[in-house]
Amino acid sequence: MGIPLHRADPAAVELSHEEILRYSRHLIMPEVGLAGQKKLKAASVLMIGTGGLGSPLGLYLAAAGIGKIGIVDYDVVDRTNLHRQVIHGSSSVGLLKVESARQRMQDINPDIEIVAYNEPFTSENALAIAQEYDVIVDGTDNFPTRYLTNDVCVLLGKPNVYGSIFRFEGQASVFYAKQGPCYRCLFPEPPPPGLVPSCAEGGVLGILPGTIGTIQATETIKLILGIGQPLIGRLLLYDALSMSVEEVKLRKNPKCVVCGPNPSVTTLIDYEQFCGVPGHDHEADSSPTKWDITPKELAARLQQGNHLKIVDVREPHEWEISHIEGAMLIPLGQLAAHMHELDSAEEIVLQCKSGARSMKALELLYTAGFRKLKNLKGGINAWAREVDPRLPIY
């Protein structure tokens, strides 16, 4: 049995001759057929994020004939997106992601309705946006939005098609409180800030979101058609390196604060405060701090002959891509063990790719008693843009 569809009555939906030809390979499958294709046309799906996971989602949901697709994002297309976010192309660099995705999806299927929300998904707008859709698909990569999406789906009684990716590994599930556990049943509390690196910090195999995003699209279509066994109460674990798939059984937590019998979370909360991290996908917070030193300020001080110790806390394979001449490489994970090699009397400038990991390194050194510390704002990529254009940006 499929999920309730609120946008239209499938029995009243008609398919044109052109649509019948377009979806003919669906129509000849008894599991889909004409009635199933009408369900897809009558359905509405909200995609949160048009990045790595949102790319295959958008492409395949549009191609499958989902009648109404909402897309939420507030970022612009960057060249670093293109190795995995295949809904965008080189000609889209600099465009709003929702507009780039909308154009591509509309080109794939001009018969469907696409609604673009060029705004962050927040506690203030989430309920108003999500209530119009039958299925919510989470294509984000930050914990505040994941918890927000979960709570919205529980409060509205909608399925949450979940996916996450990191380096070579991915996860997928369907959190549907009406029939099984929710995301909070599995993860009651978010991890401590800084414990789990983002894709921007740890990287991701470009094809991985294609695999996980396509699984999410599959689960979405199964829910609408009411066929097969959806991933409700099951967490799929995928490892691309070993090409292995494992499954973990999930149970509803009777003490869950949002979907349990006595919930304490009955309205949306401040999820950034709850998780202790920003609810966005950018590599580093752009707001200035007292610890910041800009690339131009650092370059000027070096030119003046100031004695500064530059410590690069990236990994050795990143050092090979680019590095500042004279810098000392100590990967963040090894900093505590090599702290004795640094002189607290020296002024130390910490540096990474974008400024996020080096800020963690600064906090570690400060806790150990170092005080003459600065963080290179924007990292080596900003240095390459503003000071040394000979260096590549990655």
Side-chain angles (χ1 to χ4, degrees):
M1 184 176 180
I3 59 170
L5 302 180
H6 304 289
R7 177 173 172 267
D9 178 6
V13 169
E14 297 294 335
L15 297 181
S16 67
H17 288 183
E18 184 179 336
E19 288 175 308
I20 289 174
L21 181 61
R22 174 185 287 270
Y23 306 123
S24 60
R25 300 305 187 272
H26 270 178
L27 301 182
I28 60 177
M29 299 172 64
E31 295 84 356
V32 182
L34 185 63
Q37 194 61 50
K38 288 183 176 183
K39 286 182 181 179
L40 295 177
K41 186 173 181 178
S44 58
V45 176
L46 180 67
M47 292 170 27
I48 305 172
T50 56
L53 294 173
S55 289
L57 274 168
L59 295 173
Y60 280 106
L61 293 182
I66 301 297
K68 178 181 177 181
I69 303 175
I71 50 178
V72 184
D73 210 317
Y74 63 102
D75 206 354
V76 297
V77 181
D78 185 83
R79 290 197 182 277
T80 60
N81 303 147
L82 300 182
H83 93 294
R84 66 196 183 282
Q85 299 182 14
V86 295
I87 203 168
H88 312 295
S90 297
S91 61
S92 299
V93 171
L95 290 180
L96 294 173
K97 282 188 176 179
V98 290
E99 181 59 23
S100 171
R102 187 195 64 77
Q103 291 177 10
R104 181 71 183 102
M105 292 162 66
Q106 208 75 75
D107 181 54
I108 289 175
N109 194 340
D111 297 324
I112 63 173
E113 178 186 0
I114 300 172
V115 182
Y117 302 89
N118 180 39
E119 55 188 303
F121 196 64
T122 68
S123 297
E124 288 70 36
N125 63 11
L127 289 171
I129 292 175
Q131 66 182 357
E132 298 183 24
Y133 296 89
D134 302 315
V135 182
I136 314 300
V137 190
D138 183 359
T140 63
D141 71 350
N142 66 81
F143 288 103
T145 310
R146 285 178 186 163
Y147 280 95
L148 168 62
T149 301
N150 176 78
D151 293 0
V152 166
C153 288
V154 173
L155 294 176
L156 295 178
K158 299 178 186 294
N160 169 19
V161 182
Y162 162 80
S164 70
I165 52 174
F166 181 68
R167 303 199 70 194
F168 297 95
E169 299 176 352
Q171 300 179 356
S173 188
V174 175
F175 297 111
Y176 193 18
K178 285 184 175 181
Q179 299 181 20
C182 77
Y183 181 77
R184 281 189 190 252
C185 292
L186 179 60
F187 302 110
E189 299 288 335
L195 181 65
V196 180
S198 67
C199 290
E201 295 172 334
V204 61
L205 182 69
I207 202 167
L208 178 66
T211 303
I212 301 301
T214 304
I215 290 173
Q216 288 180 280
T218 304
E219 290 301 300
T220 301
I221 290 173
K222 284 164 56 182
L223 287 170
I224 294 168
L225 295 178
I227 61 174
Q229 298 296 321
L231 284 174
I232 298 172
R234 297 186 290 153
L235 180 67
L236 201 70
L237 305 175
Y238 172 75
D239 187 329
L241 282 182
S242 62
M243 194 48 71
S244 62
V245 179
E246 298 180 22
E247 185 179 291
V248 177
K249 297 291 185 182
L250 306 178
R251 291 184 178 180
K252 201 172 183 70
N253 180 2
K255 297 182 179 180
C256 180
V257 297
V258 67
C259 80
N262 300 298
S264 58
V265 176
T266 56
T267 59
L268 301 183
I269 63 175
D270 184 335
Y271 293 89
E272 292 189 348
Q273 182 182 53
F274 174 64
C275 296
V277 293
H280 55 66
D281 302 335
H282 299 302
E283 296 183 10
D285 190 346
S286 60
S287 57
T289 74
K290 66 178 181 178
W291 305 107
D292 285 342
I293 184 170
T294 68
K296 289 183 179 178
E297 288 171 343
L298 176 58
R301 293 194 59 187
L302 291 173
Q303 193 171 17
Q304 291 165 7
N306 294 169
H307 183 67
L308 301 170
K309 186 75 169 181
I310 303 175
V311 178
D312 188 328
V313 299
R314 298 174 300 154
E315 298 299 315
H317 60 272
E318 294 179 274
W319 172 275
E320 293 178 4
I321 299 172
S322 62
H323 58 268
I324 298 174
E325 188 174 350
M328 177 183 187
L329 177 65
I330 308 179
L332 178 59
Q334 302 174 24
L335 184 58
H338 291 270
M339 206 178 293
H340 65 279
E341 299 174 15
L342 302 175
D343 185 353
S344 61
E346 284 186 304
E347 188 168 2
I348 299 173
V349 178
L350 295 148
Q351 167 254 309
C352 65
K353 174 188 174 185
S354 66
R357 279 174 287 174
S358 51
M359 192 62 206
K360 295 174 187 175
L362 187 148
E363 292 169 355
L364 177 63
L365 292 179
Y366 186 86
T367 302
F370 288 80
R371 291 297 180 266
K372 296 183 177 181
L373 301 170
K374 287 292 182 182
N375 183 40
L376 181 60
K377 186 174 176 61
I380 196 165
N381 278 348
W383 177 270
R385 281 190 295 267
E386 300 175 24
V387 176
D388 190 353
R390 296 172 301 172
L391 296 178
I393 294 173
Y394 72 103

Short mmCIF file of all heavy atoms in Angstrom, two decimals, residues 78-115:
data_model
loop_
_atom_site.label_atom_id
_atom_site.label_comp_id
_atom_site.label_asym_id
_atom_site.label_seq_id
_atom_site.Cartn_x
_atom_site.Cartn_y
_atom_site.Cartn_z
N ASP A 78 29.48 26.05 -8.16
CA ASP A 78 30.92 26.31 -8.10
C ASP A 78 31.64 25.19 -8.85
O ASP A 78 31.13 24.06 -8.95
CB ASP A 78 31.38 26.35 -6.64
CG ASP A 78 32.83 26.74 -6.49
OD1 ASP A 78 33.12 27.94 -6.51
OD2 ASP A 78 33.68 25.83 -6.36
N ARG A 79 32.82 25.47 -9.36
CA ARG A 79 33.55 24.45 -10.12
C ARG A 79 33.87 23.22 -9.28
O ARG A 79 33.97 22.10 -9.81
CB ARG A 79 34.84 25.03 -10.71
CG ARG A 79 34.58 26.03 -11.84
CD ARG A 79 35.81 26.28 -12.70
NE ARG A 79 35.48 27.29 -13.70
CZ ARG A 79 34.88 27.03 -14.85
NH1 ARG A 79 34.55 25.78 -15.14
NH2 ARG A 79 34.62 27.99 -15.71
N THR A 80 34.05 23.40 -7.97
CA THR A 80 34.34 22.25 -7.12
C THR A 80 33.14 21.32 -6.99
O THR A 80 33.28 20.20 -6.51
CB THR A 80 34.78 22.70 -5.71
OG1 THR A 80 33.72 23.49 -5.12
CG2 THR A 80 36.03 23.55 -5.78
N ASN A 81 31.95 21.77 -7.41
CA ASN A 81 30.75 20.93 -7.37
C ASN A 81 30.71 19.92 -8.53
O ASN A 81 30.06 18.88 -8.42
CB ASN A 81 29.48 21.78 -7.46
CG ASN A 81 29.36 22.84 -6.38
OD1 ASN A 81 28.80 23.91 -6.62
ND2 ASN A 81 29.86 22.56 -5.18
N LEU A 82 31.37 20.25 -9.63
CA LEU A 82 31.06 19.59 -10.90
C LEU A 82 31.49 18.13 -10.98
O LEU A 82 30.99 17.38 -11.81
CB LEU A 82 31.67 20.38 -12.06
CG LEU A 82 31.17 21.83 -12.20
CD1 LEU A 82 31.81 22.49 -13.42
CD2 LEU A 82 29.65 21.87 -12.31
N HIS A 83 32.42 17.68 -10.12
CA HIS A 83 32.86 16.28 -10.22
C HIS A 83 31.83 15.31 -9.67
O HIS A 83 31.94 14.11 -9.88
CB HIS A 83 34.21 16.10 -9.52
CG HIS A 83 34.13 15.65 -8.09
ND1 HIS A 83 33.61 16.45 -7.09
CD2 HIS A 83 34.52 14.48 -7.50
CE1 HIS A 83 33.68 15.79 -5.94
NE2 HIS A 83 34.21 14.60 -6.16
N ARG A 84 30.80 15.84 -8.97
CA ARG A 84 29.80 14.95 -8.39
C ARG A 84 28.37 15.45 -8.57
O ARG A 84 27.43 14.67 -8.53
CB ARG A 84 30.07 14.76 -6.89
CG ARG A 84 29.88 16.03 -6.06
CD ARG A 84 30.52 15.93 -4.68
NE ARG A 84 30.27 17.12 -3.87
CZ ARG A 84 30.92 18.27 -4.00
NH1 ARG A 84 31.86 18.39 -4.92
NH2 ARG A 84 30.66 19.29 -3.22
N GLN A 85 28.18 16.75 -8.75
CA GLN A 85 26.83 17.32 -8.85
C GLN A 85 26.45 17.42 -10.32
O GLN A 85 26.46 18.48 -10.93
CB GLN A 85 26.80 18.68 -8.14
CG GLN A 85 27.13 18.56 -6.66
CD GLN A 85 27.06 19.87 -5.91
OE1 GLN A 85 26.52 20.87 -6.40
NE2 GLN A 85 27.62 19.90 -4.71
N VAL A 86 26.07 16.26 -10.89
CA VAL A 86 25.97 16.12 -12.34
C VAL A 86 24.73 16.79 -12.92
O VAL A 86 24.57 16.81 -14.15
CB VAL A 86 26.01 14.63 -12.74
CG1 VAL A 86 27.36 14.03 -12.40
CG2 VAL A 86 24.90 13.85 -12.05
N ILE A 87 23.87 17.32 -12.10
CA ILE A 87 22.72 18.06 -12.64
C ILE A 87 23.18 19.43 -13.16
O ILE A 87 22.49 20.05 -13.95
CB ILE A 87 21.62 18.23 -11.57
CG1 ILE A 87 20.26 18.46 -12.25
CG2 ILE A 87 21.94 19.33 -10.57
CD1 ILE A 87 19.07 18.34 -11.30
N HIS A 88 24.36 19.87 -12.71
CA HIS A 88 24.92 21.15 -13.13
C HIS A 88 26.07 20.92 -14.11
O HIS A 88 26.70 19.86 -14.11
CB HIS A 88 25.45 21.94 -11.93
CG HIS A 88 24.49 22.02 -10.78
ND1 HIS A 88 23.29 22.67 -10.87
CD2 HIS A 88 24.56 21.51 -9.52
CE1 HIS A 88 22.66 22.57 -9.70
NE2 HIS A 88 23.39 21.86 -8.87
N GLY A 89 26.35 21.91 -14.96
CA GLY A 89 27.44 21.82 -15.91
C GLY A 89 28.33 23.04 -15.85
O GLY A 89 28.08 23.99 -15.09
N SER A 90 29.37 23.03 -16.65
CA SER A 90 30.31 24.15 -16.66
C SER A 90 29.63 25.47 -17.00
O SER A 90 29.99 26.52 -16.49
CB SER A 90 31.44 23.88 -17.67
OG SER A 90 32.19 22.74 -17.29
N SER A 91 28.62 25.40 -17.86
CA SER A 91 27.91 26.63 -18.24
C SER A 91 27.05 27.16 -17.10
O SER A 91 26.57 28.29 -17.17
CB SER A 91 27.03 26.36 -19.46
OG SER A 91 26.04 25.37 -19.17
N SER A 92 26.86 26.37 -16.04
CA SER A 92 26.03 26.78 -14.92
C SER A 92 26.83 27.42 -13.79
O SER A 92 26.25 27.88 -12.80
CB SER A 92 25.26 25.58 -14.36
OG SER A 92 24.42 25.01 -15.33
N VAL A 93 28.16 27.42 -13.88
CA VAL A 93 28.97 27.98 -12.81
C VAL A 93 28.58 29.44 -12.56
O VAL A 93 28.50 30.23 -13.48
CB VAL A 93 30.47 27.88 -13.15
CG1 VAL A 93 31.32 28.66 -12.14
CG2 VAL A 93 30.91 26.42 -13.17
N GLY A 94 28.29 29.75 -11.30
CA GLY A 94 27.85 31.09 -10.93
C GLY A 94 26.35 31.26 -10.87
O GLY A 94 25.87 32.23 -10.30
N LEU A 95 25.60 30.31 -11.45
CA LEU A 95 24.14 30.38 -11.41
C LEU A 95 23.62 29.87 -10.07
O LEU A 95 24.28 29.07 -9.39
CB LEU A 95 23.51 29.54 -12.52
CG LEU A 95 23.64 30.01 -13.96
CD1 LEU A 95 22.93 29.02 -14.88
CD2 LEU A 95 23.07 31.40 -14.13
N LEU A 96 22.42 30.30 -9.71
CA LEU A 96 21.76 29.71 -8.55
C LEU A 96 21.56 28.22 -8.80
O LEU A 96 21.15 27.81 -9.89
CB LEU A 96 20.41 30.37 -8.31
CG LEU A 96 20.41 31.85 -7.91
CD1 LEU A 96 18.98 32.38 -7.90
CD2 LEU A 96 21.05 32.03 -6.55
N LYS A 97 21.83 27.40 -7.81
CA LYS A 97 21.68 25.95 -7.99
C LYS A 97 20.23 25.56 -8.30
O LYS A 97 20.00 24.67 -9.13
CB LYS A 97 22.16 25.21 -6.74
CG LYS A 97 23.68 25.10 -6.66
CD LYS A 97 24.10 24.19 -5.52
CE LYS A 97 25.61 24.01 -5.52
NZ LYS A 97 26.06 23.14 -4.41
N VAL A 98 19.28 26.22 -7.65
CA VAL A 98 17.88 25.86 -7.93
C VAL A 98 17.50 26.18 -9.36
O VAL A 98 16.72 25.45 -9.99
CB VAL A 98 16.91 26.55 -6.95
CG1 VAL A 98 17.03 25.97 -5.56
CG2 VAL A 98 17.11 28.06 -6.92
N GLU A 99 18.06 27.25 -9.90
CA GLU A 99 17.74 27.61 -11.28
C GLU A 99 18.43 26.68 -12.26
O GLU A 99 17.84 26.23 -13.25
CB GLU A 99 18.14 29.06 -11.56
CG GLU A 99 17.82 29.56 -12.96
CD GLU A 99 16.34 29.48 -13.32
OE1 GLU A 99 15.49 29.47 -12.39
OE2 GLU A 99 16.02 29.42 -14.52
N SER A 100 19.70 26.36 -11.99
CA SER A 100 20.41 25.41 -12.83
C SER A 100 19.72 24.05 -12.84
O SER A 100 19.52 23.45 -13.90
CB SER A 100 21.86 25.26 -12.33
OG SER A 100 22.53 24.21 -12.98
N ALA A 101 19.33 23.57 -11.65
CA ALA A 101 18.64 22.28 -11.55
C ALA A 101 17.28 22.31 -12.23
O ALA A 101 16.89 21.37 -12.93
CB ALA A 101 18.50 21.88 -10.08
N ARG A 102 16.56 23.41 -12.03
CA ARG A 102 15.22 23.53 -12.63
C ARG A 102 15.31 23.45 -14.15
O ARG A 102 14.52 22.75 -14.80
CB ARG A 102 14.56 24.85 -12.21
CG ARG A 102 13.11 24.98 -12.66
CD ARG A 102 12.62 26.40 -12.56
NE ARG A 102 13.35 27.29 -13.46
CZ ARG A 102 13.15 27.37 -14.77
NH1 ARG A 102 12.22 26.61 -15.34
NH2 ARG A 102 13.86 28.19 -15.51
N GLN A 103 16.27 24.16 -14.72
CA GLN A 103 16.41 24.16 -16.18
C GLN A 103 16.71 22.75 -16.71
O GLN A 103 16.13 22.32 -17.71
CB GLN A 103 17.53 25.12 -16.59
CG GLN A 103 17.21 26.59 -16.38
CD GLN A 103 18.37 27.49 -16.74
OE1 GLN A 103 19.36 27.06 -17.34
NE2 GLN A 103 18.27 28.77 -16.40
N ARG A 104 17.60 22.04 -16.02
CA ARG A 104 17.97 20.70 -16.48
C ARG A 104 16.80 19.73 -16.33
O ARG A 104 16.52 18.91 -17.22
CB ARG A 104 19.17 20.20 -15.67
CG ARG A 104 19.66 18.82 -16.09
CD ARG A 104 20.34 18.86 -17.44
NE ARG A 104 20.75 17.52 -17.85
CZ ARG A 104 20.11 16.76 -18.73
NH1 ARG A 104 19.01 17.22 -19.32
NH2 ARG A 104 20.55 15.57 -19.03
N MET A 105 16.10 19.81 -15.20
CA MET A 105 14.96 18.92 -14.96
C MET A 105 13.82 19.21 -15.92
O MET A 105 13.16 18.29 -16.42
CB MET A 105 14.50 19.04 -13.51
CG MET A 105 15.50 18.51 -12.50
SD MET A 105 15.20 19.12 -10.81
CE MET A 105 13.62 18.34 -10.46
N GLN A 106 13.59 20.48 -16.21
CA GLN A 106 12.53 20.84 -17.15
C GLN A 106 12.86 20.40 -18.56
O GLN A 106 11.97 20.04 -19.34
CB GLN A 106 12.29 22.35 -17.11
CG GLN A 106 10.87 22.76 -17.47
CD GLN A 106 9.87 22.49 -16.36
OE1 GLN A 106 9.83 23.22 -15.39
NE2 GLN A 106 9.03 21.47 -16.53
N ASP A 107 14.16 20.40 -18.88
CA ASP A 107 14.58 19.92 -20.19
C ASP A 107 14.35 18.41 -20.31
O ASP A 107 13.95 17.91 -21.36
CB ASP A 107 16.06 20.24 -20.41
CG ASP A 107 16.55 19.79 -21.77
OD1 ASP A 107 15.94 20.16 -22.79
OD2 ASP A 107 17.54 19.04 -21.83
N ILE A 108 14.59 17.68 -19.22
CA ILE A 108 14.35 16.24 -19.22
C ILE A 108 12.87 15.94 -19.36
O ILE A 108 12.47 15.03 -20.10
CB ILE A 108 14.90 15.61 -17.92
CG1 ILE A 108 16.43 15.61 -17.95
CG2 ILE A 108 14.38 14.18 -17.72
CD1 ILE A 108 17.06 15.13 -16.66
N ASN A 109 12.04 16.73 -18.66
CA ASN A 109 10.60 16.46 -18.70
C ASN A 109 9.81 17.77 -18.60
O ASN A 109 9.58 18.28 -17.52
CB ASN A 109 10.19 15.53 -17.55
CG ASN A 109 8.81 14.95 -17.74
OD1 ASN A 109 8.01 15.49 -18.49
ND2 ASN A 109 8.53 13.85 -17.06
N PRO A 110 9.39 18.32 -19.72
CA PRO A 110 8.65 19.58 -19.71
C PRO A 110 7.20 19.44 -19.22
O PRO A 110 6.52 20.45 -19.03
CB PRO A 110 8.68 20.02 -21.18
CG PRO A 110 8.84 18.76 -21.96
CD PRO A 110 9.67 17.86 -21.10
N ASP A 111 6.76 18.21 -18.99
CA ASP A 111 5.36 17.99 -18.59
C ASP A 111 5.13 18.07 -17.09
O ASP A 111 4.00 17.96 -16.63
CB ASP A 111 4.87 16.62 -19.09
CG ASP A 111 4.87 16.53 -20.61
OD1 ASP A 111 4.57 17.55 -21.25
OD2 ASP A 111 5.18 15.45 -21.14
N ILE A 112 6.21 18.22 -16.31
CA ILE A 112 6.05 18.24 -14.85
C ILE A 112 6.18 19.67 -14.32
O ILE A 112 6.68 20.56 -15.00
CB ILE A 112 7.09 17.34 -14.16
CG1 ILE A 112 8.51 17.86 -14.43
CG2 ILE A 112 6.93 15.90 -14.62
CD1 ILE A 112 9.58 17.13 -13.65
N GLU A 113 5.72 19.87 -13.08
CA GLU A 113 5.81 21.18 -12.43
C GLU A 113 7.00 21.18 -11.48
O GLU A 113 7.17 20.26 -10.67
CB GLU A 113 4.53 21.47 -11.64
CG GLU A 113 4.57 22.80 -10.89
CD GLU A 113 3.35 22.99 -9.99
OE1 GLU A 113 2.48 22.09 -9.95
OE2 GLU A 113 3.28 24.04 -9.32
N ILE A 114 7.84 22.20 -11.59
CA ILE A 114 9.00 22.32 -10.71
C ILE A 114 8.91 23.65 -9.98
O ILE A 114 8.78 24.71 -10.60
CB ILE A 114 10.32 22.24 -11.50
CG1 ILE A 114 10.42 20.90 -12.23
CG2 ILE A 114 11.52 22.43 -10.57
CD1 ILE A 114 11.58 20.78 -13.17
N VAL A 115 8.98 23.59 -8.65
CA VAL A 115 8.91 24.79 -7.82
C VAL A 115 10.26 24.97 -7.15
O VAL A 115 10.73 24.07 -6.43
CB VAL A 115 7.80 24.68 -6.76
CG1 VAL A 115 7.73 25.98 -5.94
CG2 VAL A 115 6.46 24.38 -7.41
#
